[in-house]
Amino acid sequence: MREIRRTMTRRSSDPSLPTLFAPGLVLPRSDEPGPNDAIERHLLTLGHQRIAGVDEAGRGPLAGPVVAAAVILDFERLPEGLDDSKKLKAHERERLYDEILLCAEVGVGTAGALEIDRINIRQATLNAMRRALAGLATAPGHALVDGRDVPSRLACPATAVIGGDARSLSIAAASIVAKVTRDRMMATLCGTHPAYGFGRHMGYGTAAHLEAIEAVGPCVHHRRSFAPVAARLARAD
Protein backbone atom coordinates (compact mmCIF):
# COMPACT_ATOMS: atom_id res chain seq x y z
CA MET A 1 0.00 0.00 0.00
CA ARG A 2 1.34 3.42 -0.95
CA GLU A 3 2.29 5.55 2.02
CA ILE A 4 0.85 9.07 2.08
CA ARG A 5 2.89 12.04 3.17
CA ARG A 6 1.73 13.93 6.26
CA THR A 7 3.34 16.48 8.53
CA MET A 8 3.20 16.16 12.27
CA THR A 9 0.53 18.84 12.53
CA ARG A 10 -1.94 16.93 10.33
CA ARG A 11 -3.32 13.61 11.43
CA SER A 12 -3.51 10.94 8.76
CA SER A 13 -7.06 9.89 7.86
CA ASP A 14 -5.82 6.30 7.62
CA PRO A 15 -4.67 5.00 11.06
CA SER A 16 -2.46 2.39 9.37
CA LEU A 17 -0.21 5.12 7.99
CA PRO A 18 2.56 6.82 9.98
CA THR A 19 2.39 10.42 11.13
CA LEU A 20 5.49 12.10 9.78
CA PHE A 21 7.53 14.93 11.27
CA ALA A 22 9.41 15.94 8.14
CA PRO A 23 7.30 16.99 5.13
CA GLY A 24 8.05 14.79 2.15
CA LEU A 25 9.61 11.95 4.13
CA VAL A 26 8.08 8.60 3.13
CA LEU A 27 9.19 5.47 4.95
CA PRO A 28 10.07 2.41 2.88
CA ARG A 29 8.16 -0.84 3.09
CA SER A 30 10.06 -4.10 3.50
CA ASP A 31 9.03 -7.67 2.74
CA GLU A 32 11.48 -9.04 5.29
CA PRO A 33 9.80 -10.75 8.27
CA GLY A 34 10.36 -9.02 11.57
CA PRO A 35 12.30 -5.81 12.26
CA ASN A 36 15.11 -4.89 9.89
CA ASP A 37 17.27 -1.89 8.98
CA ALA A 38 15.40 -0.74 5.84
CA ILE A 39 14.11 2.47 7.43
CA GLU A 40 17.48 3.31 8.94
CA ARG A 41 19.27 2.68 5.63
CA HIS A 42 16.76 4.93 3.87
CA LEU A 43 17.40 7.76 6.33
CA LEU A 44 21.14 7.35 5.93
CA THR A 45 20.82 7.79 2.16
CA LEU A 46 18.99 11.07 2.86
CA GLY A 47 21.93 12.32 4.91
CA HIS A 48 20.63 11.59 8.40
CA GLN A 49 23.26 10.16 10.76
CA ARG A 50 22.95 8.50 14.17
CA ILE A 51 19.40 7.17 13.91
CA ALA A 52 17.75 6.58 17.30
CA GLY A 53 14.88 4.16 17.84
CA VAL A 54 12.45 5.09 20.62
CA ASP A 55 9.89 2.91 22.35
CA GLU A 56 8.11 2.63 25.69
CA ALA A 57 6.92 0.02 28.17
CA GLY A 58 4.17 0.31 30.73
CA ARG A 59 1.36 2.38 29.28
CA GLY A 60 -1.34 -0.06 30.39
CA PRO A 61 -0.51 -1.15 33.96
CA LEU A 62 -2.34 0.10 37.03
CA ALA A 63 0.89 0.79 38.90
CA GLY A 64 4.48 1.81 38.32
CA PRO A 65 6.13 4.17 35.86
CA VAL A 66 5.99 4.31 32.11
CA VAL A 67 9.54 3.80 30.83
CA ALA A 68 10.95 4.87 27.46
CA ALA A 69 14.27 4.03 25.85
CA ALA A 70 16.21 5.57 22.97
CA VAL A 71 18.80 3.38 21.24
CA ILE A 72 21.34 4.21 18.53
CA LEU A 73 22.57 0.91 17.14
CA ASP A 74 25.95 0.13 15.62
CA PHE A 75 24.83 -1.87 12.58
CA GLU A 76 28.28 -3.46 12.36
CA ARG A 77 27.79 -4.97 15.84
CA LEU A 78 24.17 -6.07 16.09
CA PRO A 79 23.17 -8.47 18.88
CA GLU A 80 21.98 -11.80 17.53
CA GLY A 81 18.23 -12.39 17.74
CA LEU A 82 17.19 -8.74 18.03
CA ASP A 83 13.39 -8.56 17.82
CA ASP A 84 10.27 -6.90 19.15
CA SER A 85 10.36 -7.37 22.94
CA LYS A 86 6.82 -8.78 22.93
CA LYS A 87 7.99 -11.71 20.81
CA LEU A 88 10.87 -12.62 23.13
CA LYS A 89 10.99 -14.70 26.27
CA ALA A 90 12.18 -13.04 29.47
CA HIS A 91 15.64 -14.67 29.40
CA GLU A 92 16.08 -13.61 25.75
CA ARG A 93 15.21 -10.01 26.61
CA GLU A 94 17.69 -10.06 29.50
CA ARG A 95 20.51 -11.33 27.27
CA LEU A 96 19.75 -8.83 24.52
CA TYR A 97 19.47 -5.99 27.04
CA ASP A 98 23.03 -6.66 28.24
CA GLU A 99 24.33 -6.94 24.68
CA ILE A 100 22.59 -3.74 23.54
CA LEU A 101 24.17 -1.81 26.40
CA LEU A 102 27.58 -3.10 25.34
CA CYS A 103 27.37 -2.14 21.66
CA ALA A 104 24.87 0.74 21.36
CA GLU A 105 24.18 4.21 22.72
CA VAL A 106 21.24 4.13 25.11
CA GLY A 107 19.12 6.71 26.91
CA VAL A 108 16.26 5.96 29.32
CA GLY A 109 13.45 8.20 30.54
CA THR A 110 10.60 7.59 32.97
CA ALA A 111 7.37 9.15 34.18
CA GLY A 112 5.91 7.97 37.47
CA ALA A 113 2.36 7.47 38.70
CA LEU A 114 1.97 10.99 40.05
CA GLU A 115 2.93 12.53 36.71
CA ILE A 116 0.67 10.09 34.84
CA ASP A 117 -2.28 11.08 37.04
CA ARG A 118 -1.52 14.78 36.65
CA ILE A 119 -1.20 15.01 32.86
CA ASN A 120 -2.58 11.63 31.56
CA ILE A 121 -0.74 8.56 30.30
CA ARG A 122 -0.30 9.79 26.73
CA GLN A 123 1.43 13.01 27.73
CA ALA A 124 3.48 11.23 30.39
CA THR A 125 4.64 8.71 27.79
CA LEU A 126 5.74 11.50 25.46
CA ASN A 127 7.62 13.11 28.36
CA ALA A 128 9.40 9.82 29.07
CA MET A 129 10.37 9.52 25.38
CA ARG A 130 11.67 13.08 25.36
CA ARG A 131 13.78 12.32 28.45
CA ALA A 132 15.12 9.13 26.88
CA LEU A 133 16.34 11.03 23.82
CA ALA A 134 17.81 13.75 26.04
CA GLY A 135 19.63 11.00 27.95
CA LEU A 136 21.75 10.04 24.94
CA ALA A 137 25.34 11.24 25.15
CA THR A 138 24.92 13.16 21.88
CA ALA A 139 21.70 14.17 20.15
CA PRO A 140 20.81 11.85 17.25
CA GLY A 141 20.39 13.05 13.69
CA HIS A 142 16.90 11.56 13.48
CA ALA A 143 14.56 9.66 15.81
CA LEU A 144 12.18 6.87 14.89
CA VAL A 145 9.38 6.78 17.46
CA ASP A 146 7.11 3.76 17.84
CA GLY A 147 3.42 4.65 17.54
CA ARG A 148 1.44 7.57 16.17
CA ASP A 149 2.85 10.41 18.26
CA VAL A 150 6.14 12.30 18.24
CA PRO A 151 7.18 14.24 21.36
CA SER A 152 7.48 17.99 20.90
CA ARG A 153 10.59 20.05 21.64
CA LEU A 154 13.12 17.50 20.45
CA ALA A 155 16.69 18.34 19.51
CA CYS A 156 16.36 16.40 16.25
CA PRO A 157 13.75 15.64 13.58
CA ALA A 158 11.62 12.60 14.31
CA THR A 159 9.23 10.24 12.56
CA ALA A 160 6.40 8.26 14.12
CA VAL A 161 6.33 4.65 12.93
CA ILE A 162 3.17 2.67 13.63
CA GLY A 163 4.14 -0.89 14.55
CA GLY A 164 7.74 0.27 14.63
CA ASP A 165 8.98 -2.41 17.02
CA ALA A 166 8.11 -4.98 14.33
CA ARG A 167 9.61 -2.90 11.49
CA SER A 168 12.75 -1.17 12.74
CA LEU A 169 15.72 -2.80 14.48
CA SER A 170 16.46 0.43 16.34
CA ILE A 171 12.92 0.60 17.74
CA ALA A 172 12.98 -3.12 18.55
CA ALA A 173 16.17 -2.58 20.56
CA ALA A 174 14.53 0.32 22.38
CA SER A 175 11.52 -1.86 23.18
CA ILE A 176 13.81 -4.41 24.84
CA VAL A 177 15.67 -1.82 26.91
CA ALA A 178 12.42 -0.17 28.03
CA LYS A 179 10.78 -3.49 28.94
CA VAL A 180 13.72 -4.92 30.89
CA THR A 181 14.34 -1.61 32.68
CA ARG A 182 10.71 -1.38 33.75
CA ASP A 183 10.51 -5.04 34.81
CA ARG A 184 13.53 -4.53 37.04
CA MET A 185 11.99 -1.42 38.55
CA MET A 186 8.79 -3.32 39.32
CA ALA A 187 10.76 -6.14 40.91
CA THR A 188 12.38 -3.55 43.20
CA LEU A 189 8.96 -2.12 44.09
CA CYS A 190 7.84 -5.64 44.92
CA GLY A 191 10.44 -5.69 47.68
CA THR A 192 9.12 -2.50 49.27
CA HIS A 193 5.41 -3.22 48.62
CA PRO A 194 5.14 -7.03 48.79
CA ALA A 195 1.36 -7.12 49.25
CA TYR A 196 0.74 -6.44 45.54
CA GLY A 197 3.00 -8.96 43.82
CA PHE A 198 4.48 -6.40 41.44
CA GLY A 199 7.30 -8.77 40.51
CA ARG A 200 4.81 -11.26 39.07
CA HIS A 201 2.43 -9.05 37.07
CA MET A 202 4.53 -5.86 36.66
CA GLY A 203 1.60 -3.72 37.75
CA TYR A 204 -0.89 -4.95 35.17
CA GLY A 205 -4.51 -5.49 36.17
CA THR A 206 -4.42 -9.22 36.80
CA ALA A 207 -6.99 -10.87 39.05
CA ALA A 208 -4.42 -11.23 41.85
CA HIS A 209 -3.42 -7.57 41.57
CA LEU A 210 -7.04 -6.39 41.64
CA GLU A 211 -7.70 -8.56 44.69
CA ALA A 212 -4.70 -7.01 46.46
CA ILE A 213 -5.85 -3.48 45.65
CA GLU A 214 -9.30 -4.34 47.00
CA ALA A 215 -7.88 -5.87 50.17
CA VAL A 216 -5.27 -3.28 51.18
CA GLY A 217 -5.99 -0.29 48.94
CA PRO A 218 -3.61 1.35 46.48
CA CYS A 219 -0.09 2.52 47.30
CA VAL A 220 1.76 5.61 46.14
CA HIS A 221 2.86 3.83 42.96
CA HIS A 222 -0.69 3.12 41.78
CA ARG A 223 -2.20 5.28 39.04
CA ARG A 224 -5.21 6.78 40.74
CA SER A 225 -6.66 8.09 37.49
CA PHE A 226 -6.99 4.53 36.14
CA ALA A 227 -10.50 3.16 36.55
CA PRO A 228 -9.94 0.11 38.83
CA VAL A 229 -7.81 2.14 41.24
CA ALA A 230 -10.17 5.13 41.14
CA ALA A 231 -13.13 2.83 41.87
CA ARG A 232 -11.38 1.35 44.92
CA LEU A 233 -10.58 4.82 46.23
CA ALA A 234 -14.20 5.92 45.69
CA ARG A 235 -15.45 2.96 47.75
CA ALA A 236 -13.08 3.91 50.57
CA ASP A 237 -14.49 7.45 50.82
Side-chain angles (χ1 to χ4, degrees), residues 200-237:
R200 295 190 300 276
H201 50 66
M202 305 305 167
Y204 282 89
T206 64
H209 189 191
L210 293 172
E211 289 172 5
I213 294 172
E214 188 63 30
V216 301
C219 72
V220 67
H221 300 290
H222 280 96
R223 303 173 184 181
R224 297 173 178 237
S225 57
F226 280 39
V229 183
R232 173 61 177 82
L233 288 169
R235 287 194 296 275
D237 290 340

Side-chain angles (χ1 to χ4, degrees), residues 135-152:
L136 292 167
T138 305
H142 199 102
L144 297 171
V145 182
D146 184 57
R148 291 180 170 84
D149 294 325
V150 171
S152 60

Side-chain angles (χ1 to χ4, degrees), residues 4-12 18-24:
I4 301 174
R5 299 173 182 180
R6 290 287 186 269
T7 67
M8 183 180 168
T9 57
R10 295 175 58 197
R11 302 289 299 206
S12 169
T19 303
L20 304 180
F21 178 93

Side-chain angles (χ1 to χ4, degrees), residues 41-54:
R41 287 201 313 269
H42 178 65
L43 290 171
L44 288 170
T45 65
L46 297 177
H48 299 283
Q49 302 295 321
R50 293 173 47 78
I51 311 302
V54 184

Side-chain angles (χ1 to χ4, degrees), residues 9-121:
T9 57
R10 295 175 58 197
R11 302 289 299 206
S12 169
S13 59
D14 183 344
S16 69
L17 299 177
T19 303
L20 304 180
F21 178 93
L25 177 59
V26 179
L27 300 182
R29 296 285 185 182
S30 173
D31 295 329
E32 295 182 37
N36 55 72
D37 63 353
I39 297 175
E40 289 89 341
R41 287 201 313 269
H42 178 65
L43 290 171
L44 288 170
T45 65
L46 297 177
H48 299 283
Q49 302 295 321
R50 293 173 47 78
I51 311 302
V54 184
D55 202 1
E56 53 76 24
R59 286 187 69 141
L62 305 179
V66 60
V67 177
V71 175
I72 301 175
L73 289 173
D74 178 352
F75 283 93
E76 301 301 319
R77 301 171 60 206
L78 289 177
E80 185 177 352
L82 197 57
D83 204 345
D84 176 0
S85 64
K86 297 186 292 296
K87 298 179 181 178
L88 299 169
K89 296 179 180 178
H91 73 274
E92 294 173 323
R93 289 195 297 266
E94 291 283 346
R95 173 185 64 81
L96 285 163
Y97 172 91
D98 292 337
E99 293 183 12
I100 291 166
L101 263 58
L102 286 173
C103 66
E105 296 181 48
V106 175
V108 173
T110 67
L114 291 176
E115 183 174 0
I116 291 167
D117 289 337
R118 187 176 72 252
I119 62 175
N120 73 50
I121 184 61

